[in-house]
Amino acid sequence: MRPAVIGGICGIALAVGGVAMTVATMNRNIMANIDAGPKHPVTDPMKKEAEKMALKPAPEFSLTSTTGSLINLEKAVDGKPTVFYFIKDGCPCSTDAEPMLQRLYQHLNRDEKVSVNFVGVIDLDPKDALDKWVKGFNPPYTVLCSPDAKAMKAFNAPNSVYITLVTPDGKIQKQWPGWSKRVLAEINSLASKLAGIEEKEFDTAYAPVEDTSGCEFNPDTPTL
């Protein structure tokens, strides 16, 4: 076999091995973060504040997506149950949760039919959000930009990884001040019922057992 061919084969093998090693390292890092326990435990006051959001109209907004579209509440919900979750730039909690939220999206939207909308809201402008978040995670759903975190305050979400389920008619069904196996399973159940689809068990995989919140958006600015 010619040296050039051998070198090419070795190069491909090293490249594939490098990708596999990168993925494995990322998974180990996520598991290490989860296994270490909540960095931001969900407290009783956080739970009580989140419970107050139930049955309230979802806040109106007008935000630019990473594709440059201007989207308001009505367009985001579009007559379907919609999961809003809040992302902070540079927050490892957001990084840990993102793959599981993508899995839940795929689980609820089977057979290439969108039954439940997901919307990420990040504290970056559209260009930075595209470069830092979308290109890195390639989410299959809309990401909206609120660099001043005003949308987070409107949803009463002071930390990243807060999750809010909105009904097809624009009311808040429930808010969770973090994520866990229990939370993902509950979202799966409630969203399935709202969408009128068969509820199928969701594999929560590496999600934390304890409810876990994320980093604060604007620690010096009180939420609404």
Side-chain angles (χ1 to χ4, degrees):
M1 187 177 291
R2 294 179 181 178
V5 174
I6 294 173
I9 293 172
C10 291
I12 292 170
L14 287 171
V16 172
V19 170
M21 184 175 295
T22 299
V23 172
T25 301
M26 183 174 68
N27 287 339
R28 284 199 301 271
N29 289 340
I30 290 174
M31 291 301 296
N33 289 339
I34 299 300
D35 290 343
K39 183 178 181 181
H40 304 288
V42 173
T43 64
D44 287 339
M46 291 166 70
K47 292 177 183 177
K48 289 178 181 178
E49 286 299 310
E51 287 171 1
K52 292 178 183 178
M53 299 300 290
L55 304 181
K56 289 185 177 181
E60 295 290 343
F61 60 80
S62 182
L63 297 172
T64 303
S65 73
T66 53
T67 61
S69 300
L70 196 63
I71 295 178
N72 59 16
L73 175 65
E74 182 180 4
K75 189 172 182 179
V77 173
D78 194 26
K80 298 173 183 175
T82 303
V83 175
F84 288 88
Y85 74 101
F86 301 94
I87 306 161
K88 181 173 177 59
D89 175 41
C91 169
C93 316
S94 296
T95 300
D96 290 347
E98 174 67 22
M100 284 303 303
L101 286 164
Q102 290 195 24
R103 286 180 60 170
L104 182 56
Y105 172 86
Q106 300 292 357
H107 176 80
L108 287 166
N109 296 299
R110 303 180 280 270
D111 303 322
E112 299 183 357
K113 179 183 178 182
V114 177
S115 301
V116 180
N117 290 325
F118 276 50
V119 177
V121 184
I122 193 168
D123 62 339
L124 288 173
D125 63 43
K127 183 182 182 304
D128 285 341
L130 181 64
D131 291 340
K132 290 184 175 183
W133 190 263
V134 173
K135 288 182 180 179
F137 286 100
N138 193 28
Y141 35 74
T142 300
V143 175
L144 302 179
C145 302
S146 181
D148 56 9
K150 285 184 178 179
M152 290 68 163
K153 290 194 289 184
F155 273 87
N156 200 29
N159 294 27
S160 65
V161 205
Y162 264 60
I163 304 171
T164 305
L165 176 61
V166 173
T167 64
D169 61 353
K171 292 182 179 178
I172 293 174
Q173 176 75 17
K174 188 165 184 175
Q175 184 177 79
W176 296 267
W179 71 301
S180 65
K181 292 180 179 292
R182 178 193 67 80
V183 168
L184 294 175
E186 193 169 344
I187 295 170
N188 177 52
S189 179
L190 290 175
S192 295
K193 290 176 183 175
L194 287 173
I197 59 176
E198 178 187 358
E199 180 183 341
K200 293 187 177 181
E201 185 177 356
F202 176 63
D203 179 7
T204 55
Y206 67 79
V209 174
E210 297 179 61
D211 290 2
T212 303
S213 191
C215 303
E216 292 180 278
F217 286 107
N218 289 313
D220 297 327
T221 305
T223 56
L224 297 181

